[in-house]
Amino acid sequence: MSADTLPDRLSVNPESPFFNSELLERGIGVRFKGVEKTNVEEYCISEGWIRVAVGKTVDRHGNPLTMKLQGPVEVWIKD
């Protein structure tokens, strides 16, 4: 994978196998159904979904509660 190729799936949770701190530090932009989203916890381009945080609610492990939304996903590097 080259430096400017984004993975098909990325998560902000360090426990996830799809976590990539180097990419997240550079800043990733996510557009879902044509609207830029800033609260995305995880995305998957090929399956067409994003997982967004629901308010400030957390589960028993301290992770944000999320909701999976289906639709077209576009991602880019912000820097």
Side-chain angles (χ1 to χ4, degrees):
M1 177 164 52
S2 76
D4 290 331
T5 304
L6 289 167
D8 177 57
R9 188 165 173 183
L10 185 66
S11 173
V12 298
N13 183 348
E15 314 259 318
S16 169
F18 303 105
F19 178 75
N20 183 328
S21 63
E22 293 168 13
L23 271 178
L24 294 169
E25 284 171 13
R26 290 181 68 183
I28 303 295
V30 179
R31 189 174 292 123
F32 178 72
K33 293 185 177 178
V35 179
E36 189 170 345
K37 297 285 187 184
T38 58
N39 62 340
V40 176
E41 296 289 318
E42 187 173 359
Y43 72 77
C44 184
I45 299 169
S46 64
E47 294 174 21
W49 57 262
I50 61 172
R51 210 171 264 291
V52 294
V54 180
K56 303 238 179 275
T57 318
V58 294
D59 66 11
R60 63 183 177 203
H61 304 292
N63 299 319
L65 284 183
T66 60
M67 186 168 56
K68 189 174 184 179
L69 303 174
Q70 300 282 144
V73 179
E74 297 173 61
V75 294
W76 68 92
I77 296 174
K78 288 185 173 180
D79 66 359

